[in-house]
Amino acid sequence: MTHSSRPAFDRALAHLVALTDGVELARDSAFIAQPVALATRFRAAEAAAAALAGGAALANQMAIARGLPGSSVRVDSRHAEASLLSFAHLHFTDPERAPAGRQAPEQRTAAAGFFPTADGRWVYLHPGFPHNTQGLLNLLGVADDRSAVRSSGERQAELRSAVGDAVAGYSAETLEQAIGAAGLCGAMVRSAEEWDASRPGVLLAARPVVEIIQLDDSPPEPLPAFEGRALSGIRVLDLTRVLAGPTCARTLASYGASVLRVGASELPTIPLFVADTGFGKRSTHLDLTQPDAAQTLRRLLRDCDVFSQSYRSGAMDRLGFGVTDVAQLRPGIVYVSINCYGHEGPWRQWPGWEQLAQTVTGMALAQGEDTDEQGRPTLLPAAVTDYTTGYLAAFGALAALERRARVGGSYWVRVSLARTAMWIRQLGRRRTLRARPLADSEITAWQDVMDTPWGPAHYLRPAVNLSAMPAGWDTPPVPVGTHAPSFD
């Protein structure tokens, strides 16, 4: 990475400074620009590093306000890039005990990836969890292939051909609308210009990359003097799954917050992602459709500071835990909402994933033009919008907590994967794809080892370094539902 990385980092950090009531972020932040690790012209390293540095600088300000020593903040660009593949750098000493990978066998399907459509365009199909897989197959009229897809390569090719034939019978926009209306996961490939002219793109462009909305007035809640860490005593309820949402709470935990992950036993998860994003958290099950469980969550909320959720718009409202409900129950709450396509407009209730944010915003098309000989859409070589959105959500929560300590109030923090993608696009693109892949020795230098329920695990430390108050976790990840519904 050349010196040209610093201006992009500074631009990214400047966007965040504007959201903090003038709290100084850059003064003590050192950005260590190194050769690029990921083969993309998008400035993924600078974006992730800025989101991390901004959050760390706010944590540092909060530590100082508590009478703790101040720190200088340092972010290494290659460590930040490695963090965008954090799950891939989580290694267990005993592979037999390690949590399952990104997809369980029953989730694998030929209905995944980019497919051409009848009008010469492309769509990306994302099978997601098993019910999404079945829904896509039903929509396309293709037989359930999840068991057969584990058979021979020839059979897998036949199945993918059947899916491709079905997709080729649709125009891209017609199929996209059918997928969205069915609550499934898929989208049409767009250029950046097309997305920016679309209704959801226009709505997102009018919003900052992190929205911090004051909901009401409540008394200031200064952090007490405490011989601990920046967020010691701050309690976070984490009602999220997969990567972006859990990364937000994991980041807050790295500064000392107490985090309780809340899920339901019947909801599917990806065990490897649970382990990757579970450091520093307790984990419990609460079925919020049941009155007793809902009452337990209300009890937890009364002593909570941050409520983070990543379900599609309206889901929490139907359960009685929408932003207005929670702010009334707990004045002074910081309510974090994370989704794919934004919180307004016709797509706000559509489910989405990393791949779909890249697909709709022009990133996949541009990456394909750079890397594919035929110019076919291609995903970036990392979960760029997922992890970066998680870092931005944590930044927003920290900014709201800092503001609450000074002037009071309840706050709503809103981020989305698509808005993060647009923000990364704003930072410009490199001239070349030249990259130096991460070396095993680098990963090892950034790793620590912790005993977990799956055996010893080698995991990436946070990519920020605070001189007087190191970021990190004291407790290991655990299987979902391990604990009683309590912060203690």
Side-chain angles (χ1 to χ4, degrees), residues 149-469:
V149 81
R150 299 196 300 276
S151 60
S152 69
E154 181 179 351
R155 178 60 176 147
Q156 291 184 34
E158 291 176 1
L159 292 165
R160 184 167 179 84
S161 179
V163 172
D165 289 344
V167 171
Y170 290 86
S171 71
E173 190 168 0
T174 298
L175 182 55
E176 177 183 76
Q177 289 297 320
I179 289 171
L184 302 172
C185 299
M188 178 175 74
V189 174
R190 287 171 172 78
S191 68
E193 294 75 17
E194 286 179 313
W195 174 253
D196 291 348
S198 71
R199 177 64 174 161
V202 169
L203 288 170
L204 281 175
R207 302 296 184 185
V209 65
V210 182
E211 286 189 89
I212 306 172
I213 303 165
Q214 184 165 353
L215 298 167
D216 55 31
D217 294 319
S218 62
E221 298 186 32
L223 293 167
F226 191 83
E227 293 299 326
R229 301 171 67 193
L231 295 187
S232 293
I234 293 294
R235 292 181 167 185
V236 179
L237 286 169
D238 177 22
L239 284 78
T240 67
R241 287 187 293 168
V242 191
L243 285 179
T247 295
C248 169
R250 183 188 67 175
T251 304
L252 297 176
S254 75
Y255 300 122
S258 298
V259 178
L260 178 64
R261 192 263 183 192
V262 179
S265 58
E266 70 274 12
L267 292 178
T269 60
I270 301 174
L272 177 61
F273 291 175
V274 169
D276 171 50
T277 60
F279 287 88
K281 301 180 184 179
R282 293 168 59 83
S283 180
T284 194
H285 278 152
L286 288 174
D287 180 356
L288 298 181
T289 64
Q290 301 302 310
D292 288 349
Q295 187 58 36
T296 297
L297 186 61
R298 292 188 186 94
R299 173 179 55 80
L300 291 167
L301 259 170
R302 293 187 180 95
D303 295 321
C304 177
D305 300 281
V306 178
F307 183 93
S308 180
Q309 64 88 19
S310 63
Y311 293 92
R312 69 182 71 178
S313 296
M316 285 288 105
D317 299 83
R318 290 189 292 274
L319 293 168
F321 294 97
V323 62
T324 303
D325 304 310
V326 171
Q328 289 177 347
L329 181 66
R330 198 313 194 182
I333 195 70
V334 174
Y335 191 105
V336 180
S337 293
I338 303 165
N339 72 5
C340 185
Y341 301 118
H343 305 274
E344 300 172 311
W347 288 26
R348 67 187 184 280
Q349 294 184 336
W350 287 15
W353 298 66
E354 162 82 34
Q355 297 89 335
L356 299 178
Q358 293 189 29
T359 293
V360 300
T361 60
M363 295 186 89
L365 186 62
Q367 182 72 9
E369 291 171 347
D370 287 341
T371 62
D372 186 87
E373 291 182 358
Q374 300 179 39
R376 294 169 295 193
T378 305
L379 297 174
L380 277 64
V384 172
T385 68
D386 256 331
Y387 284 108
T388 306
T389 300
Y391 300 149
L392 289 169
F395 167 86
L398 284 158
L401 287 169
E402 191 278 334
R403 193 179 300 175
R404 186 187 74 170
R406 287 187 293 107
V407 301
S410 302
Y411 296 91
W412 190 9
V413 175
R414 304 199 304 190
V415 295
S416 70
L417 304 185
R419 185 64 184 90
T420 297
M422 296 168 72
W423 179 62
I424 295 172
R425 281 176 23 208
Q426 285 180 271
L427 302 180
R429 302 177 69 199
R430 301 181 216 287
R431 294 181 179 178
T432 72
L433 274 171
R434 187 179 302 129
R436 190 183 78 192
L438 293 165
D440 290 344
S441 58
E442 291 179 279
I443 299 301
T444 300
W446 297 325
Q447 285 178 324
D448 281 334
V449 182
M450 188 180 291
D451 286 329
T452 77
W454 302 280
H458 297 254
Y459 66 96
L460 281 184
R461 293 190 300 275
V464 291
N465 184 283
L466 290 86
S467 58
M469 181 189 61

Side-chain angles (χ1 to χ4, degrees), residues 21-40:
D21 293 344
V23 175
E24 180 59 56
L25 299 183
R27 182 182 58 200
D28 298 322
S29 297
F31 174 63
I32 312 303
Q34 303 280 7
V36 174
L38 297 174
T40 180

Side-chain angles (χ1 to χ4, degrees), residues 24-94:
E24 180 59 56
L25 299 183
R27 182 182 58 200
D28 298 322
S29 297
F31 174 63
I32 312 303
Q34 303 280 7
V36 174
L38 297 174
T40 180
R41 291 174 59 209
F42 287 103
R43 294 190 177 275
E46 293 90 338
L52 286 164
L58 284 168
N60 182 47
Q61 292 293 322
M62 295 171 75
I64 293 171
R66 305 184 78 167
L68 299 172
S71 296
S72 60
V73 176
R74 171 176 168 164
V75 184
D76 180 286
S77 67
R78 286 175 69 82
H79 193 169
E81 285 183 280
S83 79
L84 300 177
L85 281 167
S86 178
F87 65 84
H89 303 307
L90 176 62
H91 300 297
F92 292 86
T93 302
D94 183 356

